[in-house]
Amino acid sequence: MLHTMSTTVESAFDRTADEVNEEIRALWLRSGGTLSGEQREEYRRLVLEWAAAAPQSD
């Protein structure tokens, strides 16, 4: 399932790491493998959200 770019700010607690990862993959797919400046900013935001949502190992 591919998601379109979210227009609302969601906290990491609203989505799982898997859901955020799916959006990251969709972003790369839409970009054809080369991110524009705006897409790079979206990618950075998503990676930070993914990291916050990912399970932490001890």
Side-chain angles (χ1 to χ4, degrees), residues 16-40:
T16 67
D18 287 340
E19 291 170 324
V20 178
N21 189 45
E22 187 175 314
E23 189 169 341
I24 291 169
R25 289 175 184 268
L27 174 63
W28 279 106
L29 227 127
R30 285 192 312 272
S31 75
T34 303
L35 298 176
S36 69
E38 184 177 313
Q39 290 169 320
R40 282 192 301 274

Side-chain angles (χ1 to χ4, degrees), residues 14 18 41 45:
D14 292 339
D18 287 340
E41 289 301 317
R45 184 192 67 75

Side-chain angles (χ1 to χ4, degrees), residues 35-56:
L35 298 176
S36 69
E38 184 177 313
Q39 290 169 320
R40 282 192 301 274
E41 289 301 317
E42 175 69 3
Y43 176 74
R44 284 186 199 113
R45 184 192 67 75
L46 288 169
V47 168
L48 291 173
E49 182 180 348
W50 173 86
Q56 303 298 313

